Amino acid sequence: MSLTVVGSVAFDALETPFGKRDKILGGAATHFSLAASFFTQVNAVGVVGGDFGGDEWGVFRRHHINTDDIEVIADGKTFFWSGRYDYDMNTAETLDTQLNVFETFDPKLSENSKRAKLLFLANIQPTLQKRVREQCPDAKFVAMDTMNYWITSAKDALLETVKVVDCTIINDAEARQLTDEPNIHRAAKKILDLGLKAVVIKRGEYGATLFTKDGYFATPAYPLESVFDPTGAGDTFAGGFMGYLASQDSIEDDTLRRAMVYGSVMASFNVEKFGTQRVDALDYPEINQRFKAFKKMTHFEDIPFERATTAA
Amino acid sequence: MSLTVVGSVAFDALETPFGKRDKILGGAATHFSLAASFFTQVNAVGVVGGDFGGDEWGVFRRHHINTDDIEVIADGKTFFWSGRYDYDMNTAETLDTQLNVFETFDPKLSENSKRAKLLFLANIQPTLQKRVREQCPDAKFVAMDTMNYWITSAKDALLETVKVVDCTIINDAEARQLTDEPNIHRAAKKILDLGLKAVVIKRGEYGATLFTKDGYFATPAYPLESVFDPTGAGDTFAGGFMGYLASQDSIEDDTLRRAMVYGSVMASFNVEKFGTQRVDALDYPEINQRFKAFKKMTHFEDIPFERATTAA
């Protein structure tokens, strides 16, 4: 099944304890498409400026990502974000944000992008997300991300958008903030109750959890001794998750579970190097080997306990 | 195999958003023995005052826990701890600590307790832990807990103790503090490198992880919408973990994995009511049913990805 993503394409400047990069390819739609491209055909919808160059387009082209709907505003500049990570690598401190051409981003979907069976609305203004969703009537499974900024500044619009998607892929702090509910399981249930099929909670180094009406699935994060650059890990997770679903033509429980793991697999690679570098260079044997590692690190035999002697 | 635990037996006073208790049975050795008693014969080593009454002894007796080595100092008072949990239920604020008879606790192990094949050193002064360990030369698998207080005030003694056990069962903040290592995987490796067989990291609502020389295993916590009283959850986990190992006469990787899950199962029950109330009333079908639930919430089929069309 085809997959369309709408979101930011950007340049990032990063400082981590492991090094510094002045201007590398970033953005939610970028990380998402790159991860998803290993599983399915992806249409990316976004906007860039005249400064977006051959190297950047090359990354998309190498992975057969359809960039027809990435609008180029030749006399504008690409969205630029600059951030710094401290030693614990959990939260980024934003040093600079220049929205540039992204400030007036008005997603224009071609007929091809509109016909997608799966749609991912990356973190953009909720009203825009809703408008895009309405342009894709054939979409069988629509997922969205958001961020604390929209929960604070546009909560009503955001809730209207949540009601027209099938799945949210957000982090635990966002789920708590969106529902005013400190317990994550109750928070997820409140979101599900808005009419969704699935709620995915990203928990950083603790992995990710999937809530559906009938069940619950939890996967740990891959045990990495060095997280090099966490930028884009959440979007890479979403790309692996949605890409795998698209490839399987199914949103059954079994498939959703494996999609959670493929999402975690892709995110674990993303953080190993700066920006898109690691995922760009990935191959299928590496993906499947890490998928197997996830199986190994969570597997146990289902053997009920029986007391040998008289029960207490 | 027999199992001995050395640690506190206490009265707790608790305030949570769900209620208040003035004086209920608590203590690390209590929660541990109670959980372990479902799997094996437990010898509890501790000290109480003359105020320790029939109801309290009744809990131990009901679960066939050997209390011969719980010393009674008739004219003393039992260790008393008072704490309050806020709405997020993650950290306890200590309101009052009265060590009482526990201040001069000098564990006295009978021959029976010394012959145990498994030994758990709950959170007490590290030098005492080491002395107890040395009194149990037959112990095949010795695990220990500790707390931030000892890491700060007696780090050298603590490290000496860690070197003579097989396994630490500590929380993630403690592992980071003990090793000065913010990355939990590197922290665990540093502890393993002191010569241990296994390092168990308790992560509260995020579950628990097991590190051994050859592998890594992660289990989520049971998804509870209401955590009623988290006091003793860590010791209850340790009791389920060590109790299961004792029952299986094995410390192979497969057994350790199931022990991690049985530990998580017991801890998930512990937090459902105040103090020992829930585990005290537990039965085997409940334990096995929740074990099955852990299997269900972590299971996925190991199906490698194959791209249907030409690979990207």
Side-chain angles (χ1 to χ4, degrees):
Chain A
M1 293 195 285
S2 55
L3 169 60
T4 293
V5 55
V6 179
S8 62
V9 178
F11 284 119
D12 289 344
L14 299 170
E15 277 179 60
T16 83
F18 303 102
K20 201 170 174 301
R21 291 293 182 279
D22 287 335
K23 194 182 178 189
I24 56 173
L25 178 61
T30 307
H31 287 288
F32 180 96
S33 336
L34 196 51
S37 74
F38 286 86
F39 301 96
T40 195
Q41 169 62 47
V42 188
N43 312 306
V45 182
V47 62
V48 296
D51 55 349
F52 206 72
D55 287 352
E56 287 75 55
W57 290 116
V59 173
F60 287 87
R61 208 160 295 139
R62 206 156 36 243
H63 296 276
H64 307 276
I65 298 162
N66 177 1
T67 57
D68 290 353
D69 290 349
I70 299 184
E71 189 184 358
V72 183
I73 300 183
D75 59 351
K77 284 178 74 183
T78 302
F79 177 26
F80 174 78
W81 177 79
S82 165
R84 176 166 51 202
Y85 293 92
D86 275 335
Y87 200 55
D88 81 348
M89 286 295 201
N90 281 325
T91 37
E93 179 196 352
T94 292
L95 301 175
D96 190 12
T97 305
Q98 298 170 23
L99 289 173
N100 299 329
V101 296
F102 196 60
E103 188 161 10
T104 52
F105 178 41
D106 182 20
K108 296 178 188 68
L109 278 70
S110 59
E111 286 310 309
N112 182 48
S113 289
K114 285 181 189 167
R115 274 195 306 269
K117 291 283 185 284
L118 278 89
L119 172 66
F120 184 66
L121 307 164
N123 165 39
I124 55 172
Q125 208 274 324
T127 314
L128 279 187
Q129 289 178 312
K130 186 157 182 260
R131 200 186 307 157
V132 171
R133 197 272 166 265
E134 286 160 353
Q135 288 175 44
C136 302
D138 297 343
K140 285 170 55 177
F141 192 76
V142 181
M144 68 180 284
D145 189 9
T146 190
M147 71 183 292
N148 51 4
Y149 177 78
W150 303 119
I151 303 174
T152 307
S153 66
K155 193 166 183 173
D156 290 345
L158 179 58
L159 286 170
E160 288 309 307
T161 305
V162 171
K163 285 177 193 165
V164 297
V165 303
D166 303 292
C167 176
T168 53
I169 305 179
I170 59 183
N171 71 39
D172 41 8
E174 289 157 359
R176 291 186 169 105
Q177 194 191 346
L178 182 63
T179 56
D180 290 317
E181 179 56 72
N183 179 289
I184 196 69
H185 306 286
R186 275 208 295 259
K189 199 163 256 184
K190 274 194 180 178
I191 302 173
L192 268 184
D193 285 346
L194 295 172
L196 278 70
K197 290 194 183 83
V199 170
V200 175
I201 308 286
K202 298 175 286 184
R203 307 180 110 178
E205 64 165 315
Y206 300 111
T209 49
L210 166 73
F211 297 81
T212 60
K213 287 211 167 47
D214 310 314
Y216 173 77
F217 175 71
T219 173
Y222 188 72
L224 290 166
E225 292 191 23
S226 296
V227 170
F228 211 80
D229 169 20
T231 316
D235 296 302
T236 305
F237 173 92
F241 178 82
M242 294 291 284
Y244 183 73
L245 288 181
S247 77
Q248 300 300 300
D249 195 4
S250 157
I251 49 163
E252 294 302 304
D253 184 61
D254 274 12
T255 321
L256 283 169
R257 285 167 180 250
R258 283 194 301 278
M260 290 287 291
V261 180
Y262 279 110
S264 306
V265 163
M266 299 309 283
S268 76
F269 284 117
N270 172 73
V271 304
E272 288 183 352
K273 289 193 177 174
F274 273 110
T276 56
Q277 209 183 334
R278 183 68 180 93
V279 177
D280 187 20
L282 210 52
D283 63 31
Y284 289 101
E286 287 176 307
I287 292 173
N288 281 326
Q289 195 181 359
R290 190 154 293 181
F291 181 82
K292 249 191 183 334
F294 270 86
K295 183 67 194 174
K296 197 173 170 217
M297 74 199 205
T298 57
H299 179 76
F300 62 93
E301 291 297 330
D302 181 11
I303 303 176
F305 177 72
E306 278 184 68
R307 184 130 192 181
T309 57
T310 328
Chain B
M1 294 195 284
S2 55
L3 168 60
T4 293
V5 55
V6 180
S8 62
V9 178
F11 284 119
D12 289 344
L14 299 170
E15 277 179 59
T16 83
F18 303 103
K20 201 169 173 303
R21 291 294 183 277
D22 286 336
K23 195 183 177 188
I24 57 174
L25 178 60
T30 306
H31 286 288
F32 180 96
S33 332
L34 195 52
S37 73
F38 285 86
F39 301 96
T40 194
Q41 169 63 47
V42 188
N43 312 306
V45 182
V47 63
V48 296
D51 54 349
F52 206 72
D55 287 352
E56 286 77 54
W57 290 118
V59 173
F60 288 87
R61 209 161 293 139
R62 206 155 37 243
H63 297 276
H64 307 277
I65 298 160
N66 177 1
T67 57
D68 291 353
D69 290 350
I70 298 185
E71 188 184 357
V72 181
I73 299 183
D75 59 351
K77 284 179 73 183
T78 302
F79 176 26
F80 174 78
W81 177 79
S82 165
R84 177 166 50 202
Y85 293 92
D86 276 336
Y87 200 55
D88 82 348
M89 286 294 202
N90 279 326
T91 37
E93 180 196 351
T94 293
L95 301 175
D96 191 12
T97 306
Q98 298 169 22
L99 289 173
N100 299 329
V101 297
F102 196 60
E103 188 162 11
T104 54
F105 178 42
D106 182 21
K108 296 178 188 67
L109 279 70
S110 60
E111 287 309 310
N112 182 49
S113 288
K114 286 180 187 170
R115 274 196 305 268
K117 291 284 183 286
L118 278 90
L119 173 66
F120 183 65
L121 306 164
N123 166 39
I124 55 173
Q125 207 275 323
T127 315
L128 279 186
Q129 290 177 311
K130 187 157 182 258
R131 202 187 305 156
V132 171
R133 197 270 165 267
E134 285 160 353
Q135 288 175 45
C136 301
D138 298 342
K140 284 170 57 177
F141 192 76
V142 182
M144 69 179 284
D145 188 9
T146 190
M147 70 183 292
N148 51 5
Y149 177 78
W150 303 119
I151 302 174
T152 307
S153 66
K155 192 166 184 173
D156 290 345
L158 178 58
L159 286 170
E160 289 309 307
T161 305
V162 170
K163 286 178 193 164
V164 296
V165 303
D166 304 292
C167 176
T168 54
I169 304 178
I170 60 183
N171 70 39
D172 41 8
E174 288 157 358
R176 291 186 169 105
Q177 195 191 346
L178 182 63
T179 56
D180 290 319
E181 179 56 73
N183 180 288
I184 197 67
H185 306 286
R186 276 208 294 260
K189 200 163 255 185
K190 273 193 180 178
I191 302 173
L192 268 184
D193 285 346
L194 295 172
L196 278 69
K197 290 194 184 83
V199 170
V200 175
I201 308 285
K202 298 175 287 186
R203 307 179 111 178
E205 63 165 316
Y206 300 110
T209 48
L210 166 73
F211 297 81
T212 60
K213 287 210 167 47
D214 311 314
Y216 173 77
F217 176 72
T219 174
Y222 189 73
L224 290 167
E225 291 191 24
S226 297
V227 170
F228 211 80
D229 169 20
T231 316
D235 296 303
T236 304
F237 172 92
F241 178 82
M242 294 292 283
Y244 183 74
L245 289 181
S247 77
Q248 300 300 299
D249 196 3
S250 157
I251 47 163
E252 295 301 305
D253 183 62
D254 274 12
T255 321
L256 284 169
R257 284 166 180 251
R258 283 193 302 277
M260 290 287 292
V261 179
Y262 278 110
S264 306
V265 163
M266 300 309 284
S268 76
F269 284 117
N270 172 74
V271 303
E272 287 183 352
K273 289 193 178 173
F274 274 110
T276 56
Q277 209 183 332
R278 184 69 181 92
V279 178
D280 188 19
L282 210 52
D283 64 30
Y284 289 101
E286 287 177 306
I287 293 173
N288 281 327
Q289 195 180 357
R290 190 154 293 182
F291 181 82
K292 250 192 182 335
F294 271 85
K295 183 66 195 175
K296 197 174 171 217
M297 74 200 206
T298 57
H299 180 74
F300 62 93
E301 290 297 329
D302 181 11
I303 304 177
F305 177 74
E306 277 184 70
R307 185 131 192 180
T309 57
T310 328

